[in-house]
Amino acid sequence: MKPDINYKNLTPDDFEQVIRLGNLVHGDGYLSVENLTRWHQQGIVNNINASYVAYIDEQLVGFRITFSAQQWQEDEWCSTELWPVTIKNTCYFKCNTVIEKHRGLGIGGKLLKLSISAAKQQGALAGVSHLWQQSPKNSAVAYFTRCGGKLIKVHPDKWLADSKQGYCCTLCGYECHCSAAEMMITF
């Protein structure tokens, strides 16, 4: 029997559980109060919040953090010249995390659909993300592809600089050589 899943916008009341789950899944140092506070604000435009959380029986089981179009900066990992949509019309899907025990229930897909709906209301025409290729069975890329994502480019060592500044990758430790698949969904 499928559990009753409650979806709602991310608020500061969720931060403690989001940080705990994010660091458990992605590695220590991935989330902090400081970066989550900033990321949360980057997802809100005109009182429309593009970031969501999922709960089962008051336990956080998943979250999706999305930056609104024009609320984030491109970096060397953004291949904007290959994108079919301009950066000013593109939101950034920062992070999607679902606790292992509840994967396969459609939680990640539902969180993404909610974020897309909010991003469209904010004026975005597309969303881009950098997906962890070393996720178990490359499930992050597979999930994003099922949701309509198209591969733009693969970036080796995407999180190496972060790992040198305190992020501890669950696979590589403090010298992360994982690759990111830069992928885009157009709306």
Side-chain angles (χ1 to χ4, degrees):
M1 177 183 214
K2 189 173 179 178
D4 185 30
I5 304 166
N6 178 32
Y7 297 92
K8 68 180 194 83
N9 280 115
L10 172 69
T11 70
D13 291 339
D14 304 303
F15 286 7
E16 183 179 325
Q17 288 190 67
V18 167
I19 291 167
R20 191 174 323 120
L21 177 58
N23 288 347
L24 173 72
V25 172
H26 300 285
D28 288 339
Y30 182 74
L31 287 173
S32 67
V33 172
E34 295 77 24
N35 66 9
L36 187 54
T37 299
R38 187 176 60 255
W39 294 357
H40 175 248
Q41 289 304 310
Q42 287 178 265
I44 301 172
V45 169
N46 296 326
N47 292 317
I48 300 168
N49 184 347
S51 296
Y52 286 85
V53 292
Y55 283 87
I56 296 175
D57 296 328
E58 299 188 31
Q59 178 193 1
L60 180 82
V61 296
F63 64 88
R64 154 69 62 201
I65 298 175
T66 301
F67 300 160
S68 306
Q70 301 186 46
Q71 300 254 106
W72 63 282
Q73 298 292 319
E74 71 178 286
D75 59 22
E76 69 269 25
W77 311 107
C78 293
S79 309
T80 56
E81 70 283 358
L82 302 175
W83 295 1
V85 175
T86 65
I87 192 167
K88 76 174 198 161
N89 295 313
T90 303
C91 70
Y92 187 79
F93 298 120
K94 175 63 180 164
C95 182
N96 185 53
T97 304
V98 177
I99 196 165
E100 186 174 5
K101 148 179 169 178
H102 294 295
R103 292 179 190 153
L105 298 175
I107 294 170
K110 176 68 174 182
L111 289 166
L112 180 60
K113 286 177 188 172
L114 290 166
S115 285
I116 288 172
S117 178
K120 286 167 66 174
Q121 291 174 50
Q122 294 172 342
L125 302 176
V128 70
S129 188
H130 292 90
L131 294 112
W132 184 35
Q133 285 200 300
Q134 283 71 27
S135 63
K137 300 178 187 171
N138 198 16
S139 60
V141 172
Y143 137 80
F144 207 74
T145 301
R146 282 192 307 275
C147 292
K150 304 289 184 215
L151 180 65
I152 304 294
K153 187 173 181 177
V154 174
H155 300 280
D157 295 334
K158 163 74 167 85
W159 295 281
L160 181 59
D162 293 339
S163 67
K164 301 263 185 208
Q165 296 190 17
Y167 164 59
C168 184
C169 172
T170 58
L171 296 179
C172 308
Y174 290 105
E175 189 170 322
C176 180
H177 291 285
C178 292
S179 298
E182 178 183 0
M183 298 183 75
M184 179 171 269
I185 298 176
T186 55
F187 310 147

